[in-house]
Amino acid sequence: MTGPADQPAAEPAGGSLGERPGRAGANLGGDSGGVLARVVREHAGRLAASLISLLGDFSAAEDLVQDAVEIALRRWPVEGIPERPQAWLYMVARRRGLDVLRRESNYRAKLAQLRWPEPQATDDRLRLIFTCCHPALAPAARIALTLRVVCGLSTAQIAAAFVVPEATVAQRITRAKKKIGQAGIPYRVPAAEELPERLASVLAVIYLLFNEGYLSSTPERARARDLVDDAEWLAALLAGLAPGEPEVGGLLALIRLHRARDAARFDEHGRLVLLADQDRSRWDHDAIEEATALLTGVARTHRRPGPYQLQAAIAACHAEARSFEDTDWAQILVLYDMLLHLAPSPVTRLHRAIALCRVHGAAAALAEVDALEHDLVSYGLWHATRAELLRELGEAEQARACDERALDLTANPAQQALLAERLTWN
């Protein structure tokens, strides 16, 4: 994390809103858009990475991917979804490249070599992430560009993660693309001595990717397991690349601790289950033990806790509690204080207010939340948290108004359903 703007809109501790190939042949009409969206989410980054590795041109490779997507949008509803949609996109991108660049023999020769990347070529996406996170780019621009191009998130999803307007994110991405071309940034994983200056941005990308998968910011789905899988895979790959970096281990432990309770986060109807109400017998306690051991080993070896280690420690406090009532909220509050000292942000202060409520009461927490109005007035979770505190203080009418505003600002269908249910309480 590189500063307040880079803090993600993640699930607060105990907070108020809780928390791959297609079908062949048949003309599936409207369903083709959904399949294409999934294929793009899961494969666009890998496709772009493979194109860039041979073209050596960031913008040209991205343009080829976008051209292929646009052609699919026109043809799949009419012709049906290909048996291997990701390979279809790849071949169209290759052919489009030959058409567009046919006068440039060097590019043509490179494009002629392209093959659909084999699954074992697992380092292309990480290499592209490091390329996008070059120190020549501004920190926020690095992260936004990587999330858009490599991870396939939309501008709206990235804006939700940064809690900034979409136009701001779009400008950052445009400037970063130009900078990469102008600066001639090489497509490679940096040497060991270059890793530290890029590592914070790479970690932030993986963290934000995980958050978007864990609780989506879009109306299409409540969560995205493919993004969560990607985030854990990239974090593990990064841990192998930089085994001595404590924050890498901290991030991997954080992801695995949250994943360990995935089975209890939604009910059979897809409704969000708050942390206080989750059936802890459904949590993966072996995974919790392994992730906690990873975190403990990192802490003992390095003794310099960073933001991801602290967030993992907060997650471990929740995961190790036998019940919600047994949660060590005082310890969580201390960990949040340490986290704010290292990486201050309004969203982290909002999360801390939940722990503050458990330790010092709703009135103290509400005062803290109210102080964040200027920074988070457009953030749905701020209004939902405020509603919960007001309701606890007996201010039902004000709480209802806050829940209504939170519902207006929330896109996630599971969160919307929870807010709508709360509006029936008074």
Side-chain angles (χ1 to χ4, degrees):
M1 288 170 291
T2 57
D6 298 324
Q7 297 289 335
E11 174 187 19
S16 54
L17 290 184
E19 319 233 80
R20 285 180 205 239
R23 289 159 287 178
N27 185 343
L28 301 178
D31 191 50
S32 62
V35 174
L36 178 58
R38 174 179 56 76
V39 171
V40 170
R41 280 195 307 268
E42 296 177 9
H43 296 285
R46 180 171 160 225
L47 176 55
S50 183
L51 288 165
I52 292 169
S53 68
L54 288 169
L55 288 174
D57 189 312
F58 187 96
S59 296
E62 186 188 14
D63 288 343
L64 293 177
V65 175
Q66 292 303 316
D67 286 345
V69 170
E70 290 175 9
I71 293 169
L73 282 170
R74 294 195 302 270
R75 290 175 53 179
W76 288 10
V78 177
E79 301 174 5
I81 300 168
E83 184 175 356
R84 296 180 65 216
Q86 64 271 28
W88 187 98
L89 283 174
Y90 193 83
M91 292 307 298
V92 169
R94 177 183 180 276
R95 291 171 186 147
R96 181 65 174 164
L98 286 170
D99 289 341
V100 173
L101 303 172
R102 62 184 178 276
R103 293 191 181 93
E104 301 182 32
S105 58
N106 185 41
Y107 277 136
R108 185 167 65 250
K110 289 182 177 181
L111 283 166
Q113 302 171 26
L114 295 185
R115 300 289 185 272
W116 173 246
E118 294 300 322
Q120 62 264 30
T122 56
D123 63 341
D124 269 351
R125 290 186 71 194
L126 191 62
R127 184 181 294 119
L128 185 52
I129 288 173
F130 272 105
T131 299
C132 293
C133 290
H134 193 279
L137 305 176
R142 300 174 204 167
I143 298 167
L145 175 68
T146 311
L147 289 170
R148 180 72 188 94
V149 176
V150 186
C151 303
L153 300 193
S154 68
T155 304
Q157 288 174 306
I158 300 166
F162 281 89
V163 196
V164 298
E166 286 187 49
T168 301
V169 171
Q171 289 173 356
R172 290 174 182 173
I173 293 171
T174 300
R175 290 169 184 163
K177 289 178 185 175
K178 291 180 179 177
K179 183 71 173 180
I180 283 182
Q182 293 168 352
I185 292 172
Y187 172 73
R188 62 178 176 82
V189 173
E193 63 271 15
E194 299 174 295
L195 279 175
E197 62 183 349
R198 302 193 199 189
L199 192 58
S201 295
V202 174
L203 288 169
V205 165
I206 297 172
Y207 179 47
L208 291 167
L209 179 66
F210 170 72
N211 280 347
E212 179 59 31
Y214 191 70
L215 200 61
S216 178
S217 63
T218 69
E220 287 80 19
R221 51 185 179 170
R223 57 179 168 176
R225 287 191 177 94
D226 54 308
L227 299 185
V228 173
D229 290 342
D230 275 357
E232 183 176 3
W233 178 78
L234 288 167
L237 198 63
L238 187 59
L241 180 66
E245 289 291 340
E247 280 290 81
V248 176
L251 177 58
L252 184 57
L254 173 65
I255 292 172
R256 289 175 173 173
L257 283 164
H258 280 302
R259 295 204 75 175
R261 60 183 183 85
D262 192 63
R265 293 180 58 234
F266 294 85
D267 67 16
E268 63 274 16
H269 304 293
R271 293 177 300 206
L272 195 63
V273 180
L274 297 178
L275 182 59
D277 302 320
Q278 289 177 15
D279 179 358
R280 299 185 179 219
S281 68
R282 300 185 64 198
W283 291 2
D284 187 339
H285 294 281
D286 289 339
I288 290 171
E289 186 175 346
E290 291 172 5
T292 303
L294 170 62
L295 181 62
T296 302
V298 169
R300 286 176 177 171
T301 303
H302 299 280
R303 297 188 181 278
R304 45 188 178 96
Y308 295 110
Q309 295 169 74
L310 291 170
Q311 290 185 73
I314 291 169
C317 285
H318 289 295
E320 292 177 328
R322 294 184 178 180
S323 68
F324 188 76
E325 293 72 25
D326 290 337
T327 304
D328 190 349
W329 290 105
Q331 177 63 23
I332 289 173
L333 187 59
V334 169
L335 291 168
Y336 269 121
D337 288 338
M338 295 172 65
L339 179 59
L340 280 171
H341 176 72
L342 291 177
S345 91
V347 171
T348 299
R349 285 182 64 189
L350 180 66
H351 295 181
R352 176 185 177 275
I354 303 297
L356 186 65
C357 176
R358 304 295 172 185
V359 177
H360 296 299
L366 183 60
E368 178 72 5
V369 170
D370 284 347
L372 298 171
E373 180 175 7
H374 175 75
D375 296 305
L376 299 179
V377 70
S378 298
Y379 184 39
L381 191 57
W382 179 80
H383 293 276
T385 302
R386 193 166 184 271
E388 187 173 315
L389 296 172
L390 285 165
R391 190 173 287 109
E392 189 165 332
L393 292 169
E395 301 289 348
E397 188 172 337
Q398 292 184 53
R400 180 180 179 83
C402 287
D403 275 335
E404 289 174 344
R405 182 58 179 148
L407 185 57
D408 289 339
L409 293 169
T410 300
N412 183 285
Q415 289 179 307
Q416 286 184 331
L418 179 59
L419 287 165
E421 181 183 355
R422 282 183 13 171
L423 286 170
T424 67
W425 293 353
N426 44 37

